[in-house]
Amino acid sequence: MQPHRYGYPPGIGDRRHGIEGIVKAVRLSKIFTIFTCMIIRKKEHWFLMLFIWRGSVLPRLLPRLVLLLIVSIAVVYYEDTLARWDIHMNPAPFTLFGIALALFLGFRNSASYERFWEARRLWGGLLNTGRSLTRQAHTLVDQPSQPTPFVNCLIALAFSLKHQLRQTDPDADLDRLLPATLAARAKAARWKPVFLLKTLSYWVQSVKQCGNIDSIRQQSFDQLLNQLSDIIGGCERIASTPLPYSYSVLLHRTVYVYCFMLPFGLVESLGWVTPVVVTFIAYTYVALEAIADELEDPFGTAPNDLALDAMCRNFENSLLEMDERPLNADPEGEEDRYYLT
């Protein structure tokens, strides 16, 4: 393969996006909200936190809790009828069973959060590796060829990985970041991040053939590209290997059977307080299960999933700054107390 005149193979260097001089970086300081990303509330007063609505799982659980409240009220209302039919339960088994159920829910939440945190570490590693590759593309080449296509390909890799994990259409980002020829080839690939990773390797090969780097510096590039490959594979492993379905179904059934049987065990001792107590206990158990379900897939678009949109924008702006180009403006969000992580 003949090296391109700019030091990279045909396709990746057909168009140049560099500018003359160093552009002053724009600091990322705006606060905004994107509902397809993880959002975090600022710390509130302990009393105000009791009434927080957005960012919690309560809106999703409210219909189920209302149904359970109605069932509990019906059990209390027909308590005499149930007594005549000798339908009553001792509350002691519910205490023991509740402790065991809490332990299982804790294990489920720990397993889900471990997946969430591992995914966050992988995306943090993606940013660090991208910065290192961009730095080396600027500083380790003896006669620096224009590294902008290399940097654009790195940015496109991050966006294509996000789209692959979320199963969304990457075409707009590929058209925006890559030359037309390379974008068309990337769209035709099934594993787009892997295809772009190979394209980055071709750039390193081309500058080596031009004599702009030696074998030692080529090996340094290759080590970082291998790290990118590990990051892509780690994200694919998390996305394609959920927690065992039978375990999730068993825990789901157990939680709801326990909650709907609980009024029968408490009605004799609590009377009309039973609906309130049962609803509060059910909220604790059902909310823990709902949070575990959300965290199990950290690449989704639920409010508590990873902020991949914001991470990709941060990745792009960080590499643009290192490539001495103007940063992209932050999208405007609502004027509220939410901000992206």
Side-chain angles (χ1 to χ4, degrees):
M1 181 178 61
Q2 293 297 326
H4 194 272
R5 63 191 179 97
Y6 295 127
Y8 38 83
I12 191 172
D14 293 341
R15 126 181 129 181
R16 301 179 65 184
H17 301 283
I19 63 173
E20 299 295 331
I22 299 177
V23 180
K24 184 178 180 180
V26 178
R27 300 299 178 188
L28 302 177
S29 59
K30 294 182 181 179
I31 295 175
F32 52 91
T33 300
I34 301 295
F35 291 107
T36 58
C37 295
M38 183 176 73
I39 53 178
I40 296 179
R41 286 198 73 118
K42 295 180 181 178
K43 294 297 183 181
E44 300 281 359
H45 188 270
W46 69 268
F47 184 76
L48 296 178
M49 288 188 67
L50 297 175
F51 305 98
I52 286 177
W53 184 261
R54 292 176 57 191
S56 73
V57 295
L58 184 58
R60 291 172 46 198
L61 305 181
L62 193 59
R64 313 172 204 180
L65 297 178
V66 170
L67 176 61
L68 183 59
L69 178 66
I70 295 173
V71 171
S72 300
I73 294 174
V75 170
V76 177
Y77 184 80
Y78 292 104
E79 180 183 2
D80 295 337
T81 303
L82 295 174
R84 286 197 302 270
W85 290 351
D86 199 25
I87 301 177
H88 61 87
M89 303 182 70
N90 192 306
F94 287 95
T95 302
L96 299 175
F97 190 72
I99 295 174
L101 185 58
L103 293 175
F104 281 114
L105 282 171
F107 171 78
R108 169 71 190 281
N109 274 269
S110 297
S112 297
Y113 186 77
E114 184 179 355
R115 293 165 56 86
F116 174 88
W117 188 241
E118 182 183 1
R120 182 61 186 90
R121 288 201 306 266
L122 288 171
W123 274 83
L126 179 66
L127 175 60
N128 294 338
T129 305
R131 287 170 172 169
S132 297
L133 281 168
T134 302
R135 172 179 53 81
Q136 291 188 2
H138 276 271
T139 61
L140 294 188
V141 181
D142 291 333
Q143 298 177 359
S145 57
Q146 178 54 254
T148 294
F150 180 83
V151 175
N152 285 343
C153 193
L154 264 177
I155 298 171
L157 185 148
F159 277 92
S160 65
L161 179 59
K162 177 198 75 170
H163 288 294
Q164 176 178 305
L165 296 173
R166 288 184 169 176
Q167 299 181 357
T168 53
D169 187 8
D171 289 358
D173 287 318
L174 294 178
D175 289 334
R176 176 175 64 89
L177 294 166
L178 300 175
T181 303
L182 184 59
R185 294 172 59 196
K187 293 176 187 178
R190 180 176 181 182
W191 313 111
K192 296 173 178 57
V194 178
F195 170 80
L196 294 175
L197 183 63
K198 184 179 72 172
T199 305
L200 293 172
S201 298
Y202 283 150
W203 186 90
V204 176
Q205 180 186 29
S206 67
V207 295
K208 174 64 168 58
Q209 291 177 346
C210 291
N212 293 330
I213 61 173
D214 55 23
S215 298
I216 296 177
R217 283 177 282 184
Q218 183 185 22
Q219 183 179 7
S220 178
F221 274 104
D222 194 59
Q223 289 176 348
L224 292 175
L225 294 176
N226 287 338
Q227 291 181 20
L228 282 183
S229 180
D230 291 339
I231 290 170
I232 295 171
C235 291
E236 291 174 341
R237 171 173 48 81
I238 294 174
S240 61
T241 312
L243 293 176
Y245 182 71
S246 58
Y247 178 80
S248 301
V249 170
L250 173 63
L251 193 58
H252 179 81
R253 289 173 178 169
T254 306
V255 167
Y256 282 93
V257 169
Y258 175 82
C259 291
F260 278 97
M261 290 180 63
L262 194 57
F264 296 95
L266 300 180
V267 63
E268 293 183 2
S269 58
L270 298 181
W272 281 102
V273 184
T274 300
V276 178
V277 175
V278 168
T279 303
F280 177 74
I281 295 175
Y283 168 70
T284 303
Y285 284 111
V286 175
L288 283 173
E289 191 212 9
I291 292 172
D293 284 337
E294 253 186 37
L295 296 182
E296 182 182 350
D297 179 18
F299 304 122
T301 57
N304 291 304
D305 289 330
L306 286 177
L308 296 188
D309 291 336
M311 291 179 187
C312 285
R313 286 193 296 270
N314 182 54
F315 184 92
E316 180 176 8
N317 280 331
S318 180
L319 268 59
L320 288 178
E321 182 179 47
M322 296 183 70
D323 198 38
E324 302 174 359
R325 287 186 282 166
L327 309 189
N328 294 326
D330 297 334
E332 295 294 336
E334 294 182 357
E335 297 295 332
D336 57 17
R337 298 182 179 182
Y338 285 82
Y339 62 95
L340 284 171
T341 57

